[in-house]
Structure formats: C-alpha cells, structure tokens
Amino acid sequence: MHPWPKPPGGPHYSVCHFCDTLHDATALPEGKAARCKCCGAVLYQNRPASLARANAFSISALILMVVVHSFPFLVMDAAGIRTSLNLASAAKALIHEGSPMLGIALAFFTIVTPLVLAGGLVYVCAPLLIGKKAPGAMIVAKWMNKTEPWNMIEVFLLGVLVSLLKLSKVADVHFGIGFWAFGALMLCMAAAVAGIDRDELWDRLEVAKR
Amino acid sequence: MSELFPKAATYGLAGCHTCGKVSPVALGHCPRCGSHLHLRKSNSIQRTVALMIAAATLYIPANLLPIMTVVELGDVTENTIVGGMITFWKSGAYPIAIVIFTASILIPLLKIVALTWLCLAATGKLHPSPSMLGRVYWFTELMGRWSMVDIFVVGILVALVQLGNYMTITPGPGALAFAGVVVITMFAAMSFEPRLLWDRLAMLDDTPSPSNPSDL
Ligand SMILES: [Zn+2]
Ligand SMILES: [Zn+2]
C-alpha cells in the first residue's frame, strides 16, 4: 500500500463528477480505483509508480515529437512527382489552399495540444519527484486540464490510414518513419496522461514545497 | 435514496472541476487552484440546447457542400462526405466505408440525439434509468472527437496530392462547416451538467438528508 501524501487538514472528501455523491476520500492501495457508490463512475485511482511513469512516458513523448516532426508519415510517388506528408505540411497545405481556419485547427489538435500535455506533465511532475513544486505549476496543470479533450492524435492516425486507402488506387504510397513514431507517440501520450490520477497530481502539488 | 447517497450540494459543498478538491461553495473560488466553484454549471440546459441547434443547423451545409475539390487532368469533381463514403462502399472497401459512416454521420447524429435526450431527461420530460443515463453521457463525452477524422483526411490529401496539371486537391467549404459541427458538439457536451439528471431522480424520491457531512 503506497498512498500518496494528503494535504494537511481534512476531512478529505471526493465528489462524483457525474452524480454529485459525496464520499470520504480514503487512501487506496496501488493499482486500485475508488468508484462512486451511487453510479459506479471512477472517483480517483492510485496509479502504480505514478510520478515515475508520468515522467518517463511524457519525456518519451517529447522525444518522439521531434522524430514525428522530422520524418514524413506518408511518401507518395505519382506522375513522376514525389510528395511527402507530416503534421506541419498538412496544416500548411490547408492554410495555403484556401482554408486557413482548418489548418490552424489541425495544427492545434495534433501539434499544440500534445505538446502542452506532454511538456506540461514533465514540467509539473519532474520537480514533484523530489517533492518540489515548479514555479507556476498549478497554472500549467490547469492548462493541461483544459487542453486534454482536444488532443486528437489517435484520430489523426486513423485519418492517415483512411487517406492511404484512398490514395493507394491512384498512386504508389508507403509509410515513412514519421508514421511509426506517431503511433508510438499516441501510445506514450495515452500512458503518460493515464500515468497519474488528477486528484493525486493536485494533492501532491498542494503538499509540495516551492 | 438521498439518505444512502448523500449529495455534496446538500451540504453546500462543491467538487472543483479542475482539481477535484471539495470545498464549501460559499468560498466562490477553489482554495487550491483558484477555479470558479459552483454547485451546478449555470444555464447548462439553455447553453447545451443553443449549441445543439447551432450544430444541427451547420450539419446541413456540412453534408451538402463539398468537403474537397479534386481536379484531375482538367476534370473537376466535388466530393461530399456521403459521396466519399459511397465511393468506398462501391469499390468494395467495406470496413473503411463503415469507419467513415460511423465517424462522420452516425456519431454526430447520435450525439445530437443523445444530448437532446439528456436535456429532456434533465428537465423532467423523460424518466430513463440511471445506468442508461451513464452510458449515454459517457458516449457524448468521449466519442465526439472521432468525427474529426474526415477533416484530417482532407488535410492529408490536400498536402499530398499537389501534382500540378495531373491532379490537385483543395479543401471545400463543407470541411469547415463539418469541423464546426464537431467542435460545437464537443462544447455542447462540455456545457451539459449531468448532476441535473440526478437532481431530477432525487426529486422523485425526496427523503430528508442528514444535515452534517460527518454522518457519512
Ligand atoms: Zn456517481
Ligand atoms: Zn480547484
């Protein structure tokens, strides 16, 4: 049993976000989740080795982002012309071909949001490993919370597969290193975000010294 | 029922939407993260309904207008979302046609229906079972983003297919309208307050609650 440190004071409560039922926030053994007595929704969970995992996966995600932005996802040979695709080129193409709003939206959902999430997690969680709070860590954590629903890398990955099937009839298309790195990035992002529970992160931030 | 499952609002307590800390709502702002505290999101139903009407209206041009224009050897073809799906189906690519149908047509429509149904339930016009409510709410919260796949496909095709006189693809106005539908339905789902559904259920069965949270 390794419960995370609770802030001083109390009693500590937890409220179900779905049905508003009030619970006592009791400590949990690692790997267990507390569920709402009324509706069964997950209240909070104690992730095993949470800080280490959140840090490891978000640092891996940041490294993979460099690879994703340096190598093409798809390479297409048609009519003697070779074109290639990465995240920035898809956003740029939309901006130049008459739909700047779509290009900005694509860049936001697939470049900005994952960067805010992974970068924010490292910024907040790395100092927490030694019990310290980075300057502005709470503001960063708030922004991570706001951007999380808009992270759409897995949707973009599905888009790449659909495009590949669309184009395979008219051209010779193959995967580049960027595609595999993007697949790994998707897994790392999911593992990083799921690595530490929201309540644990905030409790640790409240306990941590500046 | 309310005796068995005490609601935070009964004690004037609110769980912070950002950090989860439970504090008296009278504080106004969360003592931990500074977010605004409220027992229920304000004007939740009105906001959700207004956003849903906007999304449903935008859904019409999103499907009627082309999402992209293909120019192949001087021939111009306008592609709509349904058209693209039918092309896949006719060419025998059934799995991909089903993926596009689900992401681009089924999910937005189901989301509009589900949120309308939730708003009706929250205003007491319908009386569904709590487990059903949970499933419908979960669907509206998590599935909406997958509808963006067709927009990403347009972006990818526009970036790749720039082959001069042979073939070029440009985005159409339908794509922007469709992206608008996806973003607006996501905001609609976020502005919906699921606790209103439980307030409704509690009203049907209002036994007095204990007056002190330490009686939990
Ligand atoms: Zn609940
Ligand atoms: Zn808070």
Side-chain angles (χ1 to χ4, degrees), chain B residues 63-79:
Chain B
N63 276 286
L64 293 180
L65 297 174
I67 55 164
M68 59 184 177
T69 307
V70 182
V71 183
E72 192 176 1
L73 298 170
D75 280 341
V76 180
T77 333
E78 308 267 34
N79 281 261

Side-chain angles (χ1 to χ4, degrees), chain A residues 202, chain B residues 16-21 30-35 37:
Chain A
W202 280 96
Chain B
C16 173
H17 273 283
T18 305
C19 74
K21 191 179 182 77
C30 173
R32 177 150 79 180
C33 73
S35 299
L37 284 178

Side-chain angles (χ1 to χ4, degrees), chain A residues 16-21 23 36-41 43, chain B residues 198:
Chain A
C16 176
H17 77 286
F18 182 48
C19 73
D20 205 38
T21 300
H23 300 77
C36 174
K37 285 181 284 189
C38 172
C39 74
L43 296 170
Chain B
W198 296 88

Side-chain angles (χ1 to χ4, degrees), chain A residues 7 12-24 37-39 74-76 78-79 81 83-85 89-90 93-94 97-99 101-102 105-106 109-110 138 141-142 145 148-156 158-163 165-167 169-170 173 198-199 202-203 206, chain B residues 5-9 11 13-22 32-35 40 68 84 88 91 96 99-100 133-134 137 141 145-146 148-149 151-164 166-167 169-171 175-176 179 183 186-187 190 194-195 197-198 213-214 216:
Chain A
H12 298 290
Y13 296 118
S14 176
V15 168
C16 176
H17 77 286
F18 182 48
C19 73
D20 205 38
T21 300
L22 188 66
H23 300 77
D24 271 318
K37 285 181 284 189
C38 172
C39 74
L74 292 177
V75 179
M76 184 177 88
I81 303 171
T83 49
S84 66
L85 169 86
S89 75
L94 283 173
E97 298 300 322
S99 205
M101 295 250 295
L102 274 185
L106 187 141
F109 297 142
T110 61
M138 288 200 171
K142 253 171 136 171
N145 211 307
E148 203 188 321
W150 304 98
N151 168 27
M152 297 196 190
I153 53 178
E154 65 275 41
V155 183
F156 190 84
L158 181 64
V160 174
L161 293 173
V162 172
S163 312
L165 288 165
K166 265 199 169 157
L167 291 169
K169 275 169 285 166
V170 292
V173 193
R198 181 192 68 169
D199 287 15
W202 280 96
D203 279 348
E206 194 177 347
Chain B
F5 304 118
K7 303 297 171 187
Y11 308 109
L13 292 173
C16 173
H17 273 283
T18 305
C19 74
K21 191 179 182 77
V22 181
R32 177 150 79 180
C33 73
S35 299
R40 302 289 180 261
M68 59 184 177
F88 270 126
S91 68
I96 209 74
V99 166
I100 295 183
L133 288 175
Y137 182 67
E141 241 190 346
R145 35 219 288 290
W146 288 96
M148 209 53 112
V149 67
I151 302 306
F152 291 159
V153 169
V154 170
I156 293 164
L157 295 181
V158 169
L160 276 175
V161 187
Q162 293 302 333
L163 308 170
Y166 178 62
M167 194 184 196
I169 297 183
T170 44
L176 190 59
V183 170
M186 284 179 75
F187 276 120
M190 287 174 197
R195 298 163 206 225
L197 300 166
W198 296 88
S214 61
L216 278 187

